[in-house]
Amino acid sequence: SSGLRQSSLQCLDSLARCLRKDGDVDMDDGLYDSVLKDLGAVISDTDLHVCHLSLSASHSILKARPSTGPMVKSHILPATLNLCKSPLLQDPALSSVLVLVKEMITSEAVTFEELRDLFVQQLDTGNNKSSKQVISNLAECIATIATVAAPSEQTKFIKSAISSIKKSDKGSQSTQLYLLVTGDFGRKVDLSSMSGVANSIQQIYKESFDSSNEDIKQAAALALGRATVGAVDAFLPGILTALEGSSGKKQYLLLSALREFIHCFRDKEGGDLSSHIPVILTHLERNCASDEESVRSMVAECLGSLACIEPKTILPVLQKLAANPEKPIVRWTVGSAVKFAIGSSIR
C-alpha cells in the first residue's frame, strides 16, 4: 500500500542518517546497490511524495557513504533527470532533487561539467517545447550545482552562460534557461565579486526587455530580481534608476524584477534590507495610482512583500496611503498589498 511504502522509505531514510562516514557500520556494497536500485524505481511524477522520500533516502545514503556515488549515478540520476522533465515537479520533491544533485557534486559522484550538460540536455528543443515550469526547474538545478563548484569553475560557468545567451536564438528556450540560470546562481553567489560579470549580465537583462518574445522578457525580469539578492548594491540602484524613466511594459518588467528581488530576499539568511527600503518606497508610492492595473498589481505585491520583511516601517506607510481621499485608486493598491501580505505570511 502507499502508506506502507511511505513508512518504509521514511524508516530507510532514518537508518541511512544514522550511518557515518567513519565506517562504524560495515555493510555490503551489494546491499547498497540493491536498495538504490529499488529507490530509483519509484522516482517519478506519479506520486511526488513517495518521490520526495526516495530522493531524500538516496541523499542520506550518499552523504553517509560517498563510496556509493557510482551506484547513485547509475540508479538514481537517470530517474532524477527524467523527473526534471515533468511540469509537475515542485516542492518538496524539487527541494529533494536540489539537495541530492548538490551532494552528488560535493561527494564527487559526478563532475560538475557532466551533470550540468545532462541537465541542459533535458530541455526539449523539438516540436514539443518544454513548459515554463520545466525550464525553471532545470535552471535551478544547474545553478544549485554551480554553487558548490570550485571558484574557478564558477567564473568559467557564469561567463559560459552569458556567452550562450548572446549566441542563442533570442526566442529560443535555451535563452530562457540561461537567463534563469544566471539569476538563480546570482541569488546565491555575489556576481559583483566576479570581474566584469555584473555589468555584462545587467546589459543582457536590459536588452532582453526589448525582445519580441514575452517569455524572454519575463525570464529576464525574474533573473534580474534574483541576481539582485546576491549583489544588492550592484543591481538594485540600476533597477530603481531605470524605473524613473520607464513606462508601459518596461515599467511592468522592472517592477516584476523588484517584486522578485523582495520576495526572494525574504529567504536570505541574515539579510537586512532596512537601509534600502526608503528609496524603494519612493518608487512604489509614485506608481500606486498608475493607470495600468498590471503596474498597480505589481506595486501592491512589492508593498505586500516589504510588509512581511519590515512591518513596522511599511504598515504605517500603507495606512497613510489608504487615508488619501483624493485618490481612491491608491486605496485599491493598498488593499491588494495587505491581501498579498497576509497570503505571503502564511505560505
Side-chain angles (χ1 to χ4, degrees):
S1 69
S2 177
L4 178 60
R5 174 178 285 182
Q6 291 178 25
S7 296
S8 298
L9 287 168
Q10 289 172 331
C11 181
L12 177 61
D13 193 3
S14 297
L15 286 171
R17 290 172 186 267
C18 292
L19 298 174
R20 304 308 328 151
K21 296 179 183 179
D22 55 15
D24 55 350
V25 178
D26 185 21
M27 295 180 66
D28 182 72
D29 283 349
L31 180 59
Y32 282 119
D33 189 71
S34 177
V35 168
L36 288 166
K37 185 175 182 180
D38 288 341
L39 288 173
V42 295
I43 295 176
S44 72
D45 63 0
T46 55
D47 189 330
L48 287 179
H49 185 58
V50 167
C51 180
H52 151 65
L53 294 174
S54 179
L55 289 163
S56 181
S58 301
H59 165 257
S60 295
I61 291 173
L62 179 59
K63 189 175 181 64
R65 288 289 190 274
S67 60
T68 61
M71 303 173 203
V72 172
K73 181 179 179 181
S74 174
H75 301 311
I76 305 300
L77 182 56
T80 302
L81 291 170
N82 192 56
L83 176 68
C84 288
K85 294 191 290 186
S86 171
L88 300 178
L89 178 60
Q90 56 186 318
D91 287 334
L94 176 58
S95 295
S96 293
V97 168
L98 298 176
V99 170
L100 174 63
V101 296
K102 192 173 181 179
E103 185 63 33
M104 291 188 73
I105 299 299
T106 303
S107 65
E108 300 182 348
V110 62
T111 66
F112 165 68
E113 292 85 355
E114 181 181 1
L115 189 52
R116 176 201 60 199
D117 291 345
L118 285 171
F119 278 124
V120 172
Q121 290 167 18
Q122 305 315 304
L123 191 67
D124 196 336
T125 56
N127 293 327
N128 298 321
K129 299 292 187 180
S130 296
S131 69
K132 289 182 181 180
Q133 184 63 44
V134 170
I135 296 173
S136 176
N137 289 345
L138 290 173
E140 192 166 2
C141 287
I142 294 170
T144 296
I145 62 174
T147 62
V148 290
S152 59
E153 288 183 318
Q154 290 181 346
T155 301
K156 180 180 178 182
F157 157 74
I158 196 65
K159 289 184 177 180
S160 174
I162 291 173
S163 178
S164 296
I165 296 172
K166 291 179 178 179
K167 292 178 181 178
S168 63
D169 174 6
K170 296 305 180 184
S172 72
Q173 292 199 315
S174 63
T175 303
Q176 296 175 54
L177 176 69
Y178 284 112
L179 282 169
L180 292 174
V181 163
T182 60
D184 287 330
F185 180 73
R187 180 179 175 180
K188 302 168 185 176
V189 177
D190 183 356
L191 294 181
S192 65
S193 66
M194 301 177 179
S195 179
V197 168
N199 289 335
S200 180
I201 199 64
Q202 285 187 84
Q203 183 61 32
I204 286 176
Y205 295 152
K206 181 180 178 181
E207 292 172 357
S208 297
F209 283 172
D210 295 323
S211 171
S212 58
N213 186 301
E214 291 299 320
D215 291 336
I216 297 294
K217 291 178 180 179
Q218 190 59 33
L222 293 174
L224 174 57
R226 293 169 188 173
T228 304
V229 175
V232 179
D233 292 335
F235 286 86
L236 184 58
I239 295 176
L240 299 178
T241 298
L243 265 175
E244 291 181 2
S246 66
S247 61
K249 184 64 177 180
K250 186 164 291 187
Q251 182 184 38
Y252 173 80
L253 290 170
L254 288 165
L255 286 168
S256 295
L258 184 59
R259 183 277 313 270
E260 187 70 7
F261 159 64
I262 298 169
H263 179 74
C264 293
F265 196 88
R266 291 176 58 190
D267 298 325
K268 184 177 181 179
E269 192 172 332
D272 183 8
L273 198 59
S274 57
S275 63
H276 299 282
I277 285 181
V279 67
I280 293 175
L281 276 176
T282 298
H283 292 276
L284 294 179
E285 290 182 55
R286 188 177 297 157
N287 290 288
C288 274
S290 172
D291 293 335
E292 297 288 335
E293 183 177 342
S294 60
V295 170
R296 295 198 308 275
S297 294
M298 199 55 64
V299 169
E301 289 196 35
C302 289
L303 288 169
S305 289
L306 282 176
C308 293
I309 298 175
E310 293 282 348
K312 292 182 179 179
T313 301
I314 304 302
L315 293 180
V317 172
L318 294 178
Q319 186 176 19
K320 180 181 177 181
L321 289 171
N324 188 340
E326 299 178 3
K327 295 183 178 180
I329 200 169
V330 173
R331 292 199 290 272
W332 178 93
T333 304
V334 172
S336 299
V338 172
K339 178 182 178 182
F340 184 79
I342 294 172
S344 296
S345 65
I346 59 176
R347 66 190 174 112

